[in-house]
Amino acid sequence: MNQSTILIVEDESNIRRFVRIALEKEGLAVLEAESGSRARMEAATRKPDLIIVDLGLPDEDGKDLIREVRAWSSSPILVLSAREREGEKVEALDAGADDYLVKPFGVPELVARIRALLRRSQALSAAAGSSSRASFGDVVVDLASHEVTRAGQAVHLTPIQFRLLAALIRGHGKVLTHRHLLLEIWGAAYSDRAHYLRVYMMQLRQKLEEDASQPKYLITELQVGYRLSGVTMN
């Protein structure tokens, strides 16, 4: 985590200062931007390793900034906002954010979230161009051959079950919203049919989790979406 650079996009100077001090104590380099326009310039020229974005910016909604930056940058984006409505979280994640933390927040949780996002980003960079095999727990998935094993035994997945699992693997632990998954797997005509996901997630858990009622890997983020925990690319 040392030497990573974090861009804080926040219009309130006291919050920027508070976050800067906390992150510099962790050995991180910190950049600041008080507006969306300034953030674009900093992100494009300084190429930070992670971006923290407040949604209530003076010149635009932070979700618009996230959407634009995500079009050309793969740096993790953590939303830090007082907006706690589930709809805001879903929209920010759909726009391209990787995580969402509601104000007020504790420094230990903020630092932990940043560490997790940086680890994931570094793992993705290291895995670029590597094998198409992924694993979590005792499950191994070959994305190229569509072969799945659990504890060395072959597991049969239907085409839709495999597409859902592959989408979660490609998310590398990121929360994927209901809408994102529905669009990717079933298409625009099914974007409001979240019950499809519940059915297929239950099926995947029955086949891949030790205890489907208490999943360790195929995780539900309440009212937002799903994520795959503990996945690594081999």
Side-chain angles (χ1 to χ4, degrees):
M1 185 167 166
N2 289 344
Q3 306 306 313
S4 293
T5 300
I6 312 298
L7 171 60
I8 305 169
V9 187
E10 167 65 64
D11 63 320
E12 295 188 33
S13 59
N14 59 327
I15 295 179
R16 286 203 312 274
R17 181 175 180 274
F18 174 74
V19 174
R20 170 191 275 275
I21 291 172
L23 298 188
E24 287 180 340
K25 285 182 178 178
E26 297 295 322
L28 295 162
V30 179
L31 306 170
E32 296 183 25
E34 73 287 348
S35 65
S37 57
R38 179 69 183 181
R40 284 182 182 81
M41 184 179 71
E42 292 288 348
T45 58
R46 308 291 289 277
K47 295 181 172 53
D49 298 294
L50 182 143
I51 305 172
I52 297 174
V53 178
D54 177 30
L55 297 183
L57 300 175
D59 54 345
E60 65 180 308
D61 190 290
K63 294 189 293 292
D64 294 329
L65 172 65
I66 292 168
R67 195 172 291 109
E68 181 177 331
V69 171
R70 180 53 71 230
W72 50 264
S73 172
S74 60
S75 295
I77 298 174
L78 170 63
V79 172
L80 197 60
S81 175
R83 301 178 190 176
E84 56 184 348
R85 189 172 60 85
E86 292 293 341
E88 290 285 354
K89 297 179 183 179
V90 170
E91 290 173 11
L93 291 165
D94 271 338
D98 295 274
D99 201 356
Y100 196 112
L101 186 58
V102 176
K103 299 174 183 176
F105 57 90
V107 168
E109 182 175 9
L110 172 64
V111 171
R113 301 261 188 131
I114 289 172
R115 283 183 177 139
L117 289 171
L118 288 174
R119 283 197 302 268
R120 186 185 307 157
S121 178
Q122 290 159 3
L124 282 172
S125 298
S130 66
S131 118
S132 62
R133 290 166 63 87
S135 62
F136 55 95
D138 59 359
V139 175
V140 178
V141 182
D142 191 315
L143 295 171
S145 67
H146 290 202
E147 294 178 350
V148 180
T149 62
R150 180 182 170 203
Q153 300 297 312
V155 177
H156 172 72
L157 298 184
T158 68
I160 290 179
Q161 289 169 355
F162 187 85
R163 288 205 298 272
L164 175 55
L165 179 60
L168 291 166
I169 289 171
R170 288 193 296 269
H172 295 279
K174 175 182 174 180
V175 179
L176 302 179
T177 65
H178 298 130
R179 178 176 172 80
H180 174 98
L181 289 168
L182 288 164
L183 287 172
E184 180 168 344
I185 297 160
W186 284 279
Y190 298 85
S191 62
D192 61 348
R193 303 188 185 184
H195 61 285
Y196 279 33
L197 286 173
R198 289 193 294 272
V199 170
Y200 280 93
M201 284 296 294
M202 179 182 67
Q203 294 172 354
L204 282 179
R205 285 168 175 157
Q206 289 171 343
K207 292 183 176 183
L208 303 178
E209 293 276 4
E210 182 178 345
D211 183 350
S213 66
Q214 297 183 1
K216 295 180 180 179
Y217 304 104
L218 297 158
I219 307 300
T220 298
E221 294 292 342
L222 191 61
Q223 299 183 27
V224 177
Y226 299 96
R227 63 183 173 87
L228 180 59
S229 175
V231 63
T232 58
M233 300 303 293
N234 308 122

